[in-house]
Amino acid sequence: MLSAQDAFQLILETVKPAPSEQRSLFDAWHCVLAEGTVSDLNIPPFDKALMDGFAVNSADFQNGKTTLQIQETIFAGSVPTISLQAGQTSQIMTGAPLPEGADAVVQIEHCQIDEAARSVKIDTGPVSPGKNMLPQSSVLKEGSPVLAAGTVLRPQEIGALAETGSPSVRVRRAPTVAILATGDELVAPEESPQPGQIRNSNEVMLHAQILQADAIPQPLGIARDERNQLRSKIQEGLKSDFLLLSGGVSAGERDLVPSELEQAGVKQVFHKVNLKPGKPLWFGVLERADGDPCYIFGLPGNPVSSMVCFELFVKTAIRQFMGFPAPRPRALQARLSDDFHSSGNRPTYQPAQLEWEAGEAVVSPLKTMGSADLHSTVQANSVALFSTGNQHYQAGLNIDVFLW
């Protein structure tokens, strides 16, 4: 049976990054840059005051005290008109350019202004060149790289792009992800289940997970365990970038999904992965006539299995499509809070709660009644990996944990 690591590798080899598109910075949050950017100007573009006060020449100071003649007031957005000579100063506001002849700023709190004499008495500590100012191009020089391709755009990156003359950028777009729940036992969440029925929790849960992954969900409702209806719904879902089918991928007589996908021209990449929960996971690809593939995941019907498989495998595929530089789930090491026995013969991804204690990550596996016990995941913010089945893990051991 395929290992989880081999499944990750096959997903990354199969899913191709989306073509890039130009987007305004207002629409680029959490997108991934497809091309690097450079600055179109020096940052800052001039010697810049970092506080309100007086622009001075440090050579005018002895023991931090002096009296200087005021020449003008310089506001942010204006340009100095007078160059400073010895014994002269100009009042300056935060963000304004320093006049020629100034090499420092003294903050206003250390200054006593004589309006009648147009002078200022300054009593401060030692004044050295560069005090309370930011020299021109000290942050970034014109033509210097700002962000590299593959950078995920957070608010600070978007601000940096705006500052350096990139009001729009080329990014990888978010995929559309169709969701199709399958099974005769399912009813909509607003309905009261009759004997033998359960509410369709997977569709709305997957919808939320897709949004959390910055993709675009397209719910298709429920397909019954009947070939014609399932076939019609699958054809609709194959128009999206991704199609997620919930249920119908195990080995039961009415698990029809794999055969119907094959009938639709979908090529199977793998079926079944050596992990718990989530063993029946199915993955394939449809090469469409327009040249844009559709990537298909058949997720187990049990909700915990579905949740875990999405967080591990579907999210990896979405991140690969969007051009993330490191699309695989990233593990962190955490100390096991209590003893834990991993049953069965497969690696187990156990819903868990991760906390920080005195700067150390500590993980507590949550008790669960199995892959159908969705309620047990409500307190979870991660999954803990117990890599060997049928083994006792002692408290204090460091294990891999994946945040949700």
mmCIF file of all heavy atoms in Angstrom, residues 14 36 57 65 76 84-86 104 106 117 119 133 142 149 216 218-219 224 234 259 320 323 338 348 372 378 399:
data_model
loop_
_atom_site.group_PDB
_atom_site.id
_atom_site.type_symbol
_atom_site.label_atom_id
_atom_site.label_comp_id
_atom_site.label_asym_id
_atom_site.label_seq_id
_atom_site.Cartn_x
_atom_site.Cartn_y
_atom_site.Cartn_z
ATOM 1 N N THR A 14 1.861 15.386 -10.116
ATOM 2 C CA THR A 14 0.680 15.417 -10.980
ATOM 3 C C THR A 14 0.095 16.815 -11.120
ATOM 4 O O THR A 14 -0.263 17.250 -12.234
ATOM 5 C CB THR A 14 -0.402 14.461 -10.430
ATOM 6 O OG1 THR A 14 0.131 13.138 -10.330
ATOM 7 C CG2 THR A 14 -1.623 14.449 -11.329
ATOM 8 N N GLY A 36 9.057 37.732 -9.731
ATOM 9 C CA GLY A 36 9.689 38.612 -8.759
ATOM 10 C C GLY A 36 9.472 40.080 -9.112
ATOM 11 O O GLY A 36 9.131 40.424 -10.256
ATOM 12 N N ASN A 57 22.624 70.591 11.831
ATOM 13 C CA ASN A 57 23.930 70.049 11.501
ATOM 14 C C ASN A 57 24.617 69.713 12.812
ATOM 15 O O ASN A 57 24.756 70.570 13.691
ATOM 16 C CB ASN A 57 24.745 71.075 10.705
ATOM 17 C CG ASN A 57 26.031 70.483 10.162
ATOM 18 O OD1 ASN A 57 26.777 69.810 10.880
ATOM 19 N ND2 ASN A 57 26.283 70.735 8.882
ATOM 20 N N LYS A 65 24.167 71.395 23.599
ATOM 21 C CA LYS A 65 23.426 72.643 23.766
ATOM 22 C C LYS A 65 23.821 73.616 22.672
ATOM 23 O O LYS A 65 24.994 73.723 22.294
ATOM 24 C CB LYS A 65 23.718 73.267 25.129
ATOM 25 C CG LYS A 65 23.268 72.427 26.312
ATOM 26 C CD LYS A 65 23.565 73.146 27.618
ATOM 27 C CE LYS A 65 23.117 72.313 28.816
ATOM 28 N NZ LYS A 65 23.379 73.002 30.105
ATOM 29 N N ALA A 76 5.701 67.181 5.873
ATOM 30 C CA ALA A 76 5.695 65.970 5.054
ATOM 31 C C ALA A 76 4.954 66.262 3.751
ATOM 32 O O ALA A 76 3.860 66.836 3.759
ATOM 33 C CB ALA A 76 5.041 64.815 5.798
ATOM 34 N N LEU A 84 20.880 74.808 4.797
ATOM 35 C CA LEU A 84 21.325 75.284 6.107
ATOM 36 C C LEU A 84 22.806 75.630 6.091
ATOM 37 O O LEU A 84 23.640 74.884 5.550
ATOM 38 C CB LEU A 84 21.054 74.222 7.167
ATOM 39 C CG LEU A 84 19.592 73.823 7.392
ATOM 40 C CD1 LEU A 84 19.501 72.868 8.592
ATOM 41 C CD2 LEU A 84 18.692 75.028 7.602
ATOM 42 N N GLN A 85 23.107 76.760 6.701
ATOM 43 C CA GLN A 85 24.486 77.167 6.954
ATOM 44 C C GLN A 85 24.765 76.977 8.441
ATOM 45 O O GLN A 85 23.878 76.630 9.224
ATOM 46 C CB GLN A 85 24.697 78.629 6.539
ATOM 47 C CG GLN A 85 24.274 78.946 5.112
ATOM 48 C CD GLN A 85 25.072 78.167 4.073
ATOM 49 O OE1 GLN A 85 26.290 77.977 4.240
ATOM 50 N NE2 GLN A 85 24.401 77.698 3.026
ATOM 51 N N ALA A 86 26.017 77.204 8.841
ATOM 52 C CA ALA A 86 26.370 77.080 10.258
ATOM 53 C C ALA A 86 25.494 78.002 11.092
ATOM 54 O O ALA A 86 25.230 79.152 10.730
ATOM 55 C CB ALA A 86 27.840 77.436 10.461
ATOM 56 N N ALA A 104 20.991 65.563 10.926
ATOM 57 C CA ALA A 104 20.345 64.986 12.107
ATOM 58 C C ALA A 104 19.062 65.742 12.403
ATOM 59 O O ALA A 104 18.815 66.827 11.861
ATOM 60 C CB ALA A 104 21.279 65.031 13.309
ATOM 61 N N VAL A 106 16.680 66.882 15.873
ATOM 62 C CA VAL A 106 16.514 66.952 17.324
ATOM 63 C C VAL A 106 15.019 67.011 17.615
ATOM 64 O O VAL A 106 14.306 67.850 17.042
ATOM 65 C CB VAL A 106 17.233 68.180 17.918
ATOM 66 C CG1 VAL A 106 16.963 68.277 19.418
ATOM 67 C CG2 VAL A 106 18.729 68.098 17.654
ATOM 68 N N ALA A 117 12.442 86.194 18.079
ATOM 69 C CA ALA A 117 13.811 86.193 17.541
ATOM 70 C C ALA A 117 13.985 85.190 16.402
ATOM 71 O O ALA A 117 15.064 85.129 15.808
ATOM 72 C CB ALA A 117 14.804 85.879 18.658
ATOM 73 N N SER A 119 14.335 82.066 16.654
ATOM 74 C CA SER A 119 15.440 81.193 17.030
ATOM 75 C C SER A 119 14.910 80.072 17.915
ATOM 76 O O SER A 119 13.773 80.128 18.405
ATOM 77 C CB SER A 119 16.526 81.980 17.767
ATOM 78 O OG SER A 119 16.041 82.455 19.020
ATOM 79 N N MET A 133 16.910 60.223 11.905
ATOM 80 C CA MET A 133 16.643 60.357 10.467
ATOM 81 C C MET A 133 16.951 59.027 9.783
ATOM 82 O O MET A 133 17.665 58.179 10.326
ATOM 83 C CB MET A 133 17.487 61.464 9.842
ATOM 84 C CG MET A 133 18.982 61.235 9.960
ATOM 85 S SD MET A 133 19.976 62.244 8.846
ATOM 86 C CE MET A 133 19.674 61.479 7.272
ATOM 87 N N GLU A 142 17.000 51.840 -5.733
ATOM 88 C CA GLU A 142 16.249 51.699 -6.975
ATOM 89 C C GLU A 142 16.801 50.542 -7.794
ATOM 90 O O GLU A 142 18.009 50.399 -7.972
ATOM 91 C CB GLU A 142 16.333 52.995 -7.780
ATOM 92 C CG GLU A 142 15.573 52.963 -9.099
ATOM 93 C CD GLU A 142 15.706 54.258 -9.872
ATOM 94 O OE1 GLU A 142 16.231 55.246 -9.313
ATOM 95 O OE2 GLU A 142 15.293 54.270 -11.053
ATOM 96 N N ALA A 149 9.674 35.427 -6.752
ATOM 97 C CA ALA A 149 8.594 34.527 -7.166
ATOM 98 C C ALA A 149 8.444 33.425 -6.125
ATOM 99 O O ALA A 149 9.427 32.933 -5.576
ATOM 100 C CB ALA A 149 8.897 33.928 -8.529
ATOM 101 N N ILE A 216 -11.838 28.322 -3.902
ATOM 102 C CA ILE A 216 -13.225 28.734 -4.158
ATOM 103 C C ILE A 216 -14.123 27.496 -4.190
ATOM 104 O O ILE A 216 -14.083 26.713 -5.152
ATOM 105 C CB ILE A 216 -13.312 29.479 -5.509
ATOM 106 C CG1 ILE A 216 -12.346 30.682 -5.514
ATOM 107 C CG2 ILE A 216 -14.741 29.930 -5.778
ATOM 108 C CD1 ILE A 216 -12.093 31.240 -6.891
ATOM 109 N N GLN A 218 -17.369 25.056 -4.618
ATOM 110 C CA GLN A 218 -18.548 24.971 -5.475
ATOM 111 C C GLN A 218 -19.347 23.723 -5.080
ATOM 112 O O GLN A 218 -19.166 22.639 -5.647
ATOM 113 C CB GLN A 218 -18.120 24.914 -6.953
ATOM 114 C CG GLN A 218 -17.410 26.174 -7.421
ATOM 115 C CD GLN A 218 -16.965 26.107 -8.864
ATOM 116 O OE1 GLN A 218 -16.632 25.041 -9.382
ATOM 117 N NE2 GLN A 218 -16.955 27.247 -9.542
ATOM 118 N N PRO A 219 -20.227 23.837 -4.091
ATOM 119 C CA PRO A 219 -20.982 22.670 -3.624
ATOM 120 C C PRO A 219 -21.985 22.186 -4.672
ATOM 121 O O PRO A 219 -22.695 22.981 -5.287
ATOM 122 C CB PRO A 219 -21.689 23.188 -2.373
ATOM 123 C CG PRO A 219 -21.720 24.678 -2.521
ATOM 124 C CD PRO A 219 -20.521 25.058 -3.324
ATOM 125 N N ARG A 224 -27.003 10.297 -5.141
ATOM 126 C CA ARG A 224 -27.414 9.001 -4.594
ATOM 127 C C ARG A 224 -26.569 7.862 -5.197
ATOM 128 O O ARG A 224 -25.873 8.044 -6.192
ATOM 129 C CB ARG A 224 -28.900 8.752 -4.867
ATOM 130 C CG ARG A 224 -29.815 9.817 -4.273
ATOM 131 C CD ARG A 224 -29.630 9.930 -2.781
ATOM 132 N NE ARG A 224 -30.381 11.050 -2.187
ATOM 133 C CZ ARG A 224 -30.191 11.488 -0.965
ATOM 134 N NH1 ARG A 224 -29.278 10.913 -0.184
ATOM 135 N NH2 ARG A 224 -30.891 12.489 -0.499
ATOM 136 N N ILE A 234 -20.951 13.999 -11.465
ATOM 137 C CA ILE A 234 -19.512 13.962 -11.694
ATOM 138 C C ILE A 234 -19.151 14.802 -12.916
ATOM 139 O O ILE A 234 -18.172 15.572 -12.896
ATOM 140 C CB ILE A 234 -19.023 12.507 -11.855
ATOM 141 C CG1 ILE A 234 -18.982 11.816 -10.491
ATOM 142 C CG2 ILE A 234 -17.644 12.468 -12.527
ATOM 143 C CD1 ILE A 234 -18.621 10.343 -10.549
ATOM 144 N N SER A 259 -15.298 3.515 -10.407
ATOM 145 C CA SER A 259 -15.678 3.024 -11.738
ATOM 146 C C SER A 259 -16.316 4.130 -12.570
ATOM 147 O O SER A 259 -16.105 4.207 -13.793
ATOM 148 C CB SER A 259 -16.625 1.832 -11.615
ATOM 149 O OG SER A 259 -17.809 2.186 -10.910
ATOM 150 N N GLN A 320 -0.026 23.471 -4.200
ATOM 151 C CA GLN A 320 0.794 23.252 -5.398
ATOM 152 C C GLN A 320 0.203 23.991 -6.585
ATOM 153 O O GLN A 320 0.919 24.629 -7.369
ATOM 154 C CB GLN A 320 0.884 21.751 -5.687
ATOM 155 C CG GLN A 320 1.574 21.399 -6.991
ATOM 156 C CD GLN A 320 3.090 21.496 -6.933
ATOM 157 O OE1 GLN A 320 3.655 22.034 -5.984
ATOM 158 N NE2 GLN A 320 3.748 20.998 -7.956
ATOM 159 N N GLY A 323 0.950 27.618 -6.463
ATOM 160 C CA GLY A 323 2.352 28.004 -6.574
ATOM 161 C C GLY A 323 3.069 28.226 -5.268
ATOM 162 O O GLY A 323 4.118 28.877 -5.242
ATOM 163 N N ASP A 338 0.775 12.949 27.483
ATOM 164 C CA ASP A 338 0.351 11.738 28.194
ATOM 165 C C ASP A 338 0.727 10.503 27.377
ATOM 166 O O ASP A 338 0.962 10.586 26.167
ATOM 167 C CB ASP A 338 -1.171 11.745 28.409
ATOM 168 C CG ASP A 338 -1.634 12.951 29.199
ATOM 169 O OD1 ASP A 338 -1.298 13.035 30.388
ATOM 170 O OD2 ASP A 338 -2.313 13.810 28.598
ATOM 171 N N THR A 348 -0.847 6.513 12.385
ATOM 172 C CA THR A 348 -2.090 7.140 12.820
ATOM 173 C C THR A 348 -1.919 8.645 12.929
ATOM 174 O O THR A 348 -0.969 9.138 13.556
ATOM 175 C CB THR A 348 -2.531 6.581 14.180
ATOM 176 O OG1 THR A 348 -2.799 5.181 14.040
ATOM 177 C CG2 THR A 348 -3.782 7.279 14.690
ATOM 178 N N ALA A 372 -15.739 8.032 12.514
ATOM 179 C CA ALA A 372 -17.090 8.586 12.396
ATOM 180 C C ALA A 372 -17.391 9.591 13.502
ATOM 181 O O ALA A 372 -18.432 10.259 13.468
ATOM 182 C CB ALA A 372 -18.127 7.464 12.430
ATOM 183 N N VAL A 378 -13.788 18.620 17.748
ATOM 184 C CA VAL A 378 -14.153 20.014 18.029
ATOM 185 C C VAL A 378 -13.072 20.723 18.844
ATOM 186 O O VAL A 378 -12.818 21.921 18.661
ATOM 187 C CB VAL A 378 -15.520 20.074 18.740
ATOM 188 C CG1 VAL A 378 -15.820 21.479 19.240
ATOM 189 C CG2 VAL A 378 -16.623 19.596 17.802
ATOM 190 N N ILE A 399 7.135 14.105 19.169
ATOM 191 C CA ILE A 399 6.512 13.541 17.972
ATOM 192 C C ILE A 399 6.177 14.660 16.998
ATOM 193 O O ILE A 399 6.163 15.840 17.354
ATOM 194 C CB ILE A 399 5.236 12.739 18.320
ATOM 195 C CG1 ILE A 399 4.184 13.656 18.973
ATOM 196 C CG2 ILE A 399 5.558 11.561 19.224
ATOM 197 C CD1 ILE A 399 2.841 12.992 19.166
#
